[in-house]
Amino acid sequence: MRVVNDPSFGVDAPVYVISVAAELAGMHPQTLRQYDRLGIVSPGRASGRGRRYSMRDIQTLREVQRLSQEEGVNLAGIKRILELQHEVDQLREQVFHLANELEAARRAVSRRGRPARSEEHTSENQSQQHTSGIAASAG
């Protein structure tokens, strides 16, 4: 049996029942149900259809509470903020992967380019030597 603190669970593992998640987030369980209905936080579901919250869900609930209480943002605004944050995270990940692909492509081009340049340089030297040899024998 794995322990909840086991790092293999990860922040996305849906392990907390609604009462525990509500306590960890500092909210009433009914508030979590409302946020689920509104699509603000969508927990996983257990086989009996009970909600199971991950640590990431709880962090999101805390952020929802902060935005609401400290910043005065309404629920529609909070939902939009969370959607945009998610989109930014996805775009950052995409940029990271594209930057890695670009770097790999540059390295590949650089590796291909070096032998071609040295072969080209060798051909130029041979042509110059040949031309010099012809000029020397003509003189």
Side-chain angles (χ1 to χ4, degrees), residues 13-61:
V15 295
Y16 301 103
V17 295
I18 192 166
S19 60
V20 173
E23 186 175 333
L24 290 171
M27 299 177 175
H28 191 278
Q30 194 59 38
T31 305
L32 275 62
R33 289 183 189 96
Q34 179 185 6
Y35 290 169
D36 185 12
R37 279 192 300 275
L38 295 172
I40 293 174
V41 176
S42 300
R45 298 286 180 166
S47 57
R49 301 295 300 150
R51 293 173 177 88
R52 293 291 185 270
Y53 291 83
S54 67
M55 186 48 74
R56 186 179 313 273
D57 292 331
I58 292 167
Q59 291 167 345
T60 301
L61 290 166

Short mmCIF file of all heavy atoms in Angstrom, two decimals, residues 13-61:
data_model
loop_
_atom_site.label_atom_id
_atom_site.label_comp_id
_atom_site.label_asym_id
_atom_site.label_seq_id
_atom_site.Cartn_x
_atom_site.Cartn_y
_atom_site.Cartn_z
N ALA A 13 -2.75 13.36 -8.33
CA ALA A 13 -3.43 12.14 -7.90
C ALA A 13 -4.68 12.51 -7.11
O ALA A 13 -4.61 13.21 -6.10
CB ALA A 13 -2.50 11.29 -7.05
N PRO A 14 -5.85 12.05 -7.55
CA PRO A 14 -7.11 12.39 -6.84
C PRO A 14 -7.29 11.49 -5.61
O PRO A 14 -7.82 10.40 -5.71
CB PRO A 14 -8.18 12.13 -7.90
CG PRO A 14 -7.58 11.11 -8.80
CD PRO A 14 -6.09 11.32 -8.77
N VAL A 15 -6.84 11.97 -4.47
CA VAL A 15 -6.84 11.13 -3.27
C VAL A 15 -7.68 11.67 -2.11
O VAL A 15 -8.02 10.92 -1.20
CB VAL A 15 -5.39 10.90 -2.75
CG1 VAL A 15 -4.60 10.09 -3.76
CG2 VAL A 15 -4.69 12.20 -2.46
N TYR A 16 -8.04 12.94 -2.13
CA TYR A 16 -8.74 13.54 -0.99
C TYR A 16 -10.25 13.57 -1.20
O TYR A 16 -10.72 14.07 -2.22
CB TYR A 16 -8.25 14.98 -0.75
CG TYR A 16 -6.76 15.06 -0.49
CD1 TYR A 16 -5.89 15.49 -1.48
CD2 TYR A 16 -6.23 14.71 0.75
CE1 TYR A 16 -4.52 15.57 -1.24
CE2 TYR A 16 -4.87 14.79 0.99
CZ TYR A 16 -4.03 15.22 -0.01
OH TYR A 16 -2.68 15.29 0.22
N VAL A 17 -10.97 13.05 -0.24
CA VAL A 17 -12.44 13.14 -0.29
C VAL A 17 -12.83 14.59 -0.04
O VAL A 17 -12.02 15.39 0.45
CB VAL A 17 -13.10 12.19 0.74
CG1 VAL A 17 -12.82 10.74 0.40
CG2 VAL A 17 -12.69 12.54 2.15
N ILE A 18 -14.06 14.93 -0.34
CA ILE A 18 -14.48 16.33 -0.31
C ILE A 18 -14.33 16.97 1.07
O ILE A 18 -13.94 18.13 1.18
CB ILE A 18 -15.93 16.47 -0.86
CG1 ILE A 18 -16.25 17.95 -1.10
CG2 ILE A 18 -16.93 15.79 0.05
CD1 ILE A 18 -17.49 18.19 -1.92
N SER A 19 -14.61 16.22 2.13
CA SER A 19 -14.50 16.82 3.46
C SER A 19 -13.05 17.18 3.80
O SER A 19 -12.78 18.24 4.37
CB SER A 19 -15.06 15.87 4.52
OG SER A 19 -14.36 14.64 4.50
N VAL A 20 -12.11 16.33 3.41
CA VAL A 20 -10.69 16.60 3.67
C VAL A 20 -10.22 17.75 2.78
O VAL A 20 -9.52 18.66 3.24
CB VAL A 20 -9.84 15.33 3.44
CG1 VAL A 20 -8.36 15.63 3.55
CG2 VAL A 20 -10.25 14.24 4.43
N ALA A 21 -10.59 17.72 1.52
CA ALA A 21 -10.20 18.78 0.59
C ALA A 21 -10.74 20.13 1.06
O ALA A 21 -10.03 21.14 1.01
CB ALA A 21 -10.70 18.47 -0.81
N ALA A 22 -11.99 20.14 1.52
CA ALA A 22 -12.59 21.39 2.01
C ALA A 22 -11.81 21.92 3.21
O ALA A 22 -11.53 23.12 3.30
CB ALA A 22 -14.05 21.16 2.37
N GLU A 23 -11.44 21.03 4.10
CA GLU A 23 -10.68 21.44 5.28
C GLU A 23 -9.30 21.97 4.88
O GLU A 23 -8.87 23.02 5.36
CB GLU A 23 -10.53 20.26 6.24
CG GLU A 23 -9.88 20.65 7.56
CD GLU A 23 -9.84 19.49 8.55
OE1 GLU A 23 -10.70 18.60 8.47
OE2 GLU A 23 -8.93 19.51 9.39
N LEU A 24 -8.63 21.28 3.97
CA LEU A 24 -7.31 21.72 3.52
C LEU A 24 -7.37 23.06 2.79
O LEU A 24 -6.42 23.85 2.86
CB LEU A 24 -6.67 20.66 2.62
CG LEU A 24 -6.25 19.36 3.31
CD1 LEU A 24 -5.83 18.31 2.27
CD2 LEU A 24 -5.11 19.62 4.30
N ALA A 25 -8.46 23.30 2.09
CA ALA A 25 -8.61 24.55 1.34
C ALA A 25 -9.22 25.66 2.20
O ALA A 25 -9.25 26.82 1.77
CB ALA A 25 -9.49 24.32 0.11
N GLY A 26 -9.70 25.30 3.39
CA GLY A 26 -10.32 26.31 4.26
C GLY A 26 -11.70 26.74 3.78
O GLY A 26 -12.07 27.90 3.89
N MET A 27 -12.45 25.80 3.23
CA MET A 27 -13.78 26.09 2.69
C MET A 27 -14.79 25.08 3.20
O MET A 27 -14.43 24.04 3.73
CB MET A 27 -13.75 26.01 1.15
CG MET A 27 -12.83 26.97 0.49
SD MET A 27 -12.85 26.68 -1.30
CE MET A 27 -11.82 28.01 -1.84
N HIS A 28 -16.04 25.37 2.95
CA HIS A 28 -17.13 24.45 3.28
C HIS A 28 -17.28 23.45 2.12
O HIS A 28 -17.12 23.85 0.95
CB HIS A 28 -18.43 25.23 3.49
CG HIS A 28 -19.52 24.41 4.08
ND1 HIS A 28 -20.31 23.59 3.32
CD2 HIS A 28 -19.93 24.29 5.36
CE1 HIS A 28 -21.18 22.98 4.10
NE2 HIS A 28 -20.97 23.39 5.35
N PRO A 29 -17.58 22.19 2.39
CA PRO A 29 -17.75 21.22 1.29
C PRO A 29 -18.77 21.65 0.24
O PRO A 29 -18.60 21.37 -0.95
CB PRO A 29 -18.21 19.94 2.01
CG PRO A 29 -17.64 20.07 3.38
CD PRO A 29 -17.68 21.54 3.69
N GLN A 30 -19.81 22.36 0.66
CA GLN A 30 -20.82 22.82 -0.30
C GLN A 30 -20.21 23.80 -1.30
O GLN A 30 -20.60 23.83 -2.47
CB GLN A 30 -22.01 23.46 0.45
CG GLN A 30 -23.22 23.67 -0.42
CD GLN A 30 -23.75 22.36 -1.03
OE1 GLN A 30 -23.75 21.31 -0.40
NE2 GLN A 30 -24.18 22.43 -2.27
N THR A 31 -19.25 24.59 -0.86
CA THR A 31 -18.57 25.52 -1.76
C THR A 31 -17.81 24.75 -2.83
O THR A 31 -17.84 25.11 -4.02
CB THR A 31 -17.60 26.42 -0.97
OG1 THR A 31 -18.33 27.07 0.08
CG2 THR A 31 -16.94 27.45 -1.85
N LEU A 32 -17.17 23.65 -2.44
CA LEU A 32 -16.45 22.82 -3.41
C LEU A 32 -17.41 22.22 -4.43
O LEU A 32 -17.12 22.15 -5.62
CB LEU A 32 -15.66 21.72 -2.71
CG LEU A 32 -14.26 22.10 -2.20
CD1 LEU A 32 -14.30 23.19 -1.16
CD2 LEU A 32 -13.53 20.89 -1.70
N ARG A 33 -18.57 21.80 -3.96
CA ARG A 33 -19.59 21.25 -4.89
C ARG A 33 -20.03 22.32 -5.89
O ARG A 33 -20.21 22.05 -7.07
CB ARG A 33 -20.79 20.73 -4.10
CG ARG A 33 -20.51 19.46 -3.32
CD ARG A 33 -21.77 18.93 -2.61
NE ARG A 33 -21.42 17.85 -1.72
CZ ARG A 33 -21.18 17.99 -0.41
NH1 ARG A 33 -21.30 19.17 0.16
NH2 ARG A 33 -20.84 16.94 0.32
N GLN A 34 -20.23 23.55 -5.38
CA GLN A 34 -20.64 24.64 -6.26
C GLN A 34 -19.56 24.93 -7.30
O GLN A 34 -19.86 25.09 -8.49
CB GLN A 34 -20.92 25.91 -5.45
CG GLN A 34 -21.33 27.09 -6.32
CD GLN A 34 -21.49 28.39 -5.52
OE1 GLN A 34 -21.19 28.44 -4.34
NE2 GLN A 34 -21.97 29.42 -6.19
N TYR A 35 -18.29 24.97 -6.88
CA TYR A 35 -17.20 25.22 -7.81
C TYR A 35 -17.10 24.10 -8.86
O TYR A 35 -16.78 24.35 -10.02
CB TYR A 35 -15.87 25.35 -7.07
CG TYR A 35 -15.74 26.61 -6.24
CD1 TYR A 35 -14.70 26.76 -5.35
CD2 TYR A 35 -16.66 27.66 -6.33
CE1 TYR A 35 -14.56 27.91 -4.58
CE2 TYR A 35 -16.54 28.80 -5.57
CZ TYR A 35 -15.48 28.93 -4.70
OH TYR A 35 -15.36 30.06 -3.94
N ASP A 36 -17.42 22.88 -8.45
CA ASP A 36 -17.44 21.76 -9.39
C ASP A 36 -18.56 21.97 -10.41
O ASP A 36 -18.35 21.83 -11.62
CB ASP A 36 -17.62 20.44 -8.64
CG ASP A 36 -17.51 19.22 -9.55
OD1 ASP A 36 -17.09 19.35 -10.71
OD2 ASP A 36 -17.86 18.12 -9.08
N ARG A 37 -19.75 22.32 -9.95
CA ARG A 37 -20.88 22.57 -10.87
C ARG A 37 -20.58 23.69 -11.84
O ARG A 37 -20.97 23.64 -13.01
CB ARG A 37 -22.14 22.90 -10.07
CG ARG A 37 -22.87 21.71 -9.52
CD ARG A 37 -24.27 22.06 -9.00
NE ARG A 37 -24.25 23.05 -7.92
CZ ARG A 37 -24.07 22.77 -6.61
NH1 ARG A 37 -23.92 21.53 -6.23
NH2 ARG A 37 -24.05 23.73 -5.72
N LEU A 38 -19.88 24.73 -11.37
CA LEU A 38 -19.56 25.88 -12.22
C LEU A 38 -18.36 25.62 -13.13
O LEU A 38 -18.04 26.43 -14.01
CB LEU A 38 -19.27 27.12 -11.35
CG LEU A 38 -20.45 27.65 -10.53
CD1 LEU A 38 -19.99 28.74 -9.58
CD2 LEU A 38 -21.55 28.17 -11.46
N GLY A 39 -17.68 24.50 -12.91
CA GLY A 39 -16.52 24.17 -13.73
C GLY A 39 -15.26 24.91 -13.33
O GLY A 39 -14.31 24.98 -14.11
N ILE A 40 -15.23 25.46 -12.13
CA ILE A 40 -14.05 26.19 -11.67
C ILE A 40 -12.96 25.20 -11.25
O ILE A 40 -11.80 25.37 -11.58
CB ILE A 40 -14.42 27.16 -10.52
CG1 ILE A 40 -15.32 28.27 -11.09
CG2 ILE A 40 -13.18 27.74 -9.86
CD1 ILE A 40 -15.88 29.21 -10.06
N VAL A 41 -13.34 24.19 -10.50
CA VAL A 41 -12.44 23.10 -10.11
C VAL A 41 -13.18 21.80 -10.39
O VAL A 41 -14.29 21.61 -9.90
CB VAL A 41 -12.05 23.19 -8.62
CG1 VAL A 41 -11.19 22.00 -8.22
CG2 VAL A 41 -11.31 24.48 -8.33
N SER A 42 -12.58 20.94 -11.19
CA SER A 42 -13.22 19.68 -11.55
C SER A 42 -12.42 18.51 -10.98
O SER A 42 -11.44 18.07 -11.58
CB SER A 42 -13.32 19.55 -13.07
OG SER A 42 -14.09 20.61 -13.59
N PRO A 43 -12.83 18.00 -9.83
CA PRO A 43 -12.09 16.89 -9.21
C PRO A 43 -12.30 15.59 -9.96
O PRO A 43 -13.21 15.47 -10.78
CB PRO A 43 -12.71 16.82 -7.81
CG PRO A 43 -14.11 17.32 -8.01
CD PRO A 43 -14.01 18.39 -9.05
N GLY A 44 -11.44 14.62 -9.65
CA GLY A 44 -11.63 13.29 -10.19
C GLY A 44 -12.83 12.63 -9.52
O GLY A 44 -13.41 13.18 -8.59
N ARG A 45 -13.21 11.48 -10.01
CA ARG A 45 -14.34 10.75 -9.43
C ARG A 45 -13.91 9.35 -9.03
O ARG A 45 -13.17 8.70 -9.77
CB ARG A 45 -15.51 10.65 -10.42
CG ARG A 45 -16.11 11.97 -10.85
CD ARG A 45 -16.93 12.54 -9.73
NE ARG A 45 -17.53 13.82 -10.15
CZ ARG A 45 -18.48 14.41 -9.51
NH1 ARG A 45 -19.00 13.86 -8.42
NH2 ARG A 45 -18.95 15.57 -9.91
N ALA A 46 -14.39 8.93 -7.88
CA ALA A 46 -14.14 7.56 -7.42
C ALA A 46 -15.16 6.65 -8.09
O ALA A 46 -16.09 7.11 -8.76
CB ALA A 46 -14.27 7.48 -5.90
N SER A 47 -14.98 5.36 -7.92
CA SER A 47 -15.88 4.40 -8.57
C SER A 47 -17.34 4.62 -8.16
O SER A 47 -18.24 4.39 -8.94
CB SER A 47 -15.45 2.97 -8.26
OG SER A 47 -15.42 2.77 -6.87
N GLY A 48 -17.58 5.07 -6.95
CA GLY A 48 -18.95 5.36 -6.48
C GLY A 48 -19.41 6.75 -6.85
O GLY A 48 -20.39 7.25 -6.32
N ARG A 49 -18.69 7.42 -7.75
CA ARG A 49 -18.97 8.77 -8.25
C ARG A 49 -18.67 9.86 -7.23
O ARG A 49 -19.00 11.02 -7.43
CB ARG A 49 -20.42 8.91 -8.76
CG ARG A 49 -20.80 7.98 -9.87
CD ARG A 49 -20.04 8.19 -11.17
NE ARG A 49 -20.25 9.53 -11.71
CZ ARG A 49 -19.37 10.18 -12.44
NH1 ARG A 49 -18.21 9.64 -12.69
NH2 ARG A 49 -19.62 11.38 -12.91
N GLY A 50 -18.06 9.49 -6.11
CA GLY A 50 -17.67 10.51 -5.13
C GLY A 50 -16.50 11.32 -5.64
O GLY A 50 -15.63 10.81 -6.34
N ARG A 51 -16.49 12.59 -5.29
CA ARG A 51 -15.41 13.47 -5.73
C ARG A 51 -14.11 13.11 -5.00
O ARG A 51 -14.12 12.85 -3.81
CB ARG A 51 -15.77 14.93 -5.43
CG ARG A 51 -16.93 15.45 -6.26
CD ARG A 51 -17.34 16.85 -5.76
NE ARG A 51 -18.39 17.43 -6.55
CZ ARG A 51 -19.69 17.24 -6.34
NH1 ARG A 51 -20.09 16.47 -5.34
NH2 ARG A 51 -20.58 17.81 -7.11
N ARG A 52 -13.01 13.18 -5.75
CA ARG A 52 -11.68 12.98 -5.17
C ARG A 52 -10.80 14.13 -5.66
O ARG A 52 -10.63 14.32 -6.87
CB ARG A 52 -11.07 11.64 -5.60
CG ARG A 52 -11.77 10.42 -5.07
CD ARG A 52 -11.58 10.29 -3.55
NE ARG A 52 -12.16 9.07 -3.04
CZ ARG A 52 -13.41 8.95 -2.60
NH1 ARG A 52 -14.21 9.99 -2.64
NH2 ARG A 52 -13.84 7.80 -2.14
N TYR A 53 -10.26 14.86 -4.73
CA TYR A 53 -9.47 16.05 -5.04
C TYR A 53 -7.98 15.75 -4.96
O TYR A 53 -7.53 15.01 -4.10
CB TYR A 53 -9.82 17.19 -4.07
CG TYR A 53 -11.20 17.73 -4.29
CD1 TYR A 53 -12.31 17.10 -3.72
CD2 TYR A 53 -11.41 18.86 -5.07
CE1 TYR A 53 -13.59 17.59 -3.94
CE2 TYR A 53 -12.69 19.35 -5.28
CZ TYR A 53 -13.77 18.71 -4.72
OH TYR A 53 -15.03 19.18 -4.93
N SER A 54 -7.23 16.34 -5.86
CA SER A 54 -5.77 16.22 -5.85
C SER A 54 -5.19 17.42 -5.11
O SER A 54 -5.89 18.39 -4.82
CB SER A 54 -5.23 16.20 -7.29
OG SER A 54 -5.45 17.47 -7.90
N MET A 55 -3.90 17.36 -4.85
CA MET A 55 -3.24 18.50 -4.22
C MET A 55 -3.28 19.71 -5.15
O MET A 55 -3.43 20.83 -4.70
CB MET A 55 -1.80 18.14 -3.83
CG MET A 55 -1.10 19.24 -3.04
SD MET A 55 -2.05 19.92 -1.63
CE MET A 55 -1.93 18.60 -0.46
N ARG A 56 -3.20 19.48 -6.45
CA ARG A 56 -3.33 20.60 -7.40
C ARG A 56 -4.72 21.24 -7.31
O ARG A 56 -4.86 22.45 -7.36
CB ARG A 56 -3.04 20.14 -8.83
CG ARG A 56 -3.01 21.30 -9.83
CD ARG A 56 -2.72 20.86 -11.25
NE ARG A 56 -1.61 19.97 -11.38
CZ ARG A 56 -0.33 20.35 -11.52
NH1 ARG A 56 -0.02 21.62 -11.51
NH2 ARG A 56 0.62 19.44 -11.66
N ASP A 57 -5.75 20.40 -7.16
CA ASP A 57 -7.11 20.93 -6.99
C ASP A 57 -7.19 21.81 -5.74
O ASP A 57 -7.81 22.88 -5.76
CB ASP A 57 -8.14 19.80 -6.87
CG ASP A 57 -8.31 19.00 -8.15
OD1 ASP A 57 -8.11 19.56 -9.25
OD2 ASP A 57 -8.65 17.80 -8.04
N ILE A 58 -6.58 21.35 -4.68
CA ILE A 58 -6.61 22.11 -3.41
C ILE A 58 -5.86 23.42 -3.57
O ILE A 58 -6.32 24.46 -3.09
CB ILE A 58 -6.06 21.24 -2.25
CG1 ILE A 58 -7.05 20.09 -1.99
CG2 ILE A 58 -5.83 22.07 -1.00
CD1 ILE A 58 -6.53 18.99 -1.12
N GLN A 59 -4.74 23.40 -4.27
CA GLN A 59 -4.00 24.64 -4.53
C GLN A 59 -4.86 25.60 -5.36
O GLN A 59 -4.88 26.81 -5.11
CB GLN A 59 -2.69 24.33 -5.27
CG GLN A 59 -1.68 23.61 -4.41
CD GLN A 59 -0.53 23.04 -5.21
OE1 GLN A 59 -0.58 22.92 -6.44
NE2 GLN A 59 0.53 22.65 -4.50
N THR A 60 -5.59 25.06 -6.32
CA THR A 60 -6.48 25.89 -7.13
C THR A 60 -7.60 26.47 -6.27
O THR A 60 -7.94 27.65 -6.41
CB THR A 60 -7.08 25.07 -8.30
OG1 THR A 60 -6.00 24.57 -9.10
CG2 THR A 60 -8.01 25.91 -9.16
N LEU A 61 -8.17 25.66 -5.38
CA LEU A 61 -9.22 26.16 -4.48
C LEU A 61 -8.69 27.30 -3.61
O LEU A 61 -9.40 28.30 -3.40
CB LEU A 61 -9.74 25.02 -3.60
CG LEU A 61 -10.57 23.97 -4.32
CD1 LEU A 61 -10.74 22.73 -3.43
CD2 LEU A 61 -11.92 24.53 -4.72
#
